[in-house]
Amino acid sequence: MCQKGWAMDQKMLNALKQVADGIAAQFGNNCEVAIYDPSEDNGYSVVYAINEHVSGQVGGSRLNGTLLEKRNLSALEARGHLSYMVKTPEGRVLKNSAVCIKNEQGEAGAVLTIKYDVTNMTMLENAIHYLISTESVREKEREPVMNVNEL
């Protein structure tokens, strides 16, 4: 299980920080990237985060309890918990992914999470849905209008 994996050393943490910085730079201010270390006293505490304003988490925050449930933990270790949506208490919509980072022996330890705030994009999607939709609109049964004056 992820919780009983290797302890992350400084070399691994520095490498993960570079990955986190790259992801955050690519996707901008709406993208939070965090690294969780299971060897911290609290278990899966944030040891590095960029753009933590996205979720409101700060250094020392714990990994989401849902991900640590036994059924999700083994899935997280095997293939990650990818592309799922959550809503913050403030009503923001976040698209999330979490992956366990494993060593050469296949032992999982650290967790890297990506949280992308898609609130504005979902509002835009809703706004343009009807403009691009091909769904039929019921028309009243009447003869077609031939000019503007008949309207």
Side-chain angles (χ1 to χ4, degrees), residues 63-70 72-73 76 81 84 98 111 113:
L63 189 61
N64 180 319
T66 305
L67 288 177
L68 292 176
E69 291 174 8
K70 195 167 195 164
N72 290 328
L73 195 56
L76 177 61
H81 197 64
Y84 63 98
V111 173
T113 63

Side-chain angles (χ1 to χ4, degrees), residues 75-91:
L76 177 61
E77 182 178 333
R79 64 185 176 284
H81 197 64
L82 306 175
S83 196
Y84 63 98
M85 301 291 214
V86 297
K87 197 174 230 183
T88 68
E90 299 79 29

Side-chain angles (χ1 to χ4, degrees), residues 43-82:
Y44 280 106
S45 293
V46 174
V47 292
Y48 187 73
I50 303 166
N51 295 329
E52 56 271 12
H53 65 273
V54 171
S55 72
Q57 291 193 133
V58 293
S61 293
R62 296 209 49 205
L63 189 61
N64 180 319
T66 305
L67 288 177
L68 292 176
E69 291 174 8
K70 195 167 195 164
R71 68 186 186 331
N72 290 328
L73 195 56
S74 58
L76 177 61
E77 182 178 333
R79 64 185 176 284
H81 197 64
L82 306 175

Side-chain angles (χ1 to χ4, degrees), residues 32-36 57 63 67 97-99 111-115:
E32 174 187 300
V33 185
I35 302 166
Y36 294 82
Q57 291 193 133
L63 189 61
L67 288 177
S97 289
V99 292
V111 173
L112 178 80
T113 63
I114 303 168
K115 298 173 182 162

Side-chain angles (χ1 to χ4, degrees), residues 5-26:
W6 49 274
M8 185 169 33
D9 62 13
Q10 193 61 43
K11 184 177 178 182
M12 177 58 70
L13 179 58
N14 288 339
L16 288 174
K17 284 180 178 181
Q18 288 180 328
V19 171
D21 289 342
I23 293 168
Q26 176 68 31

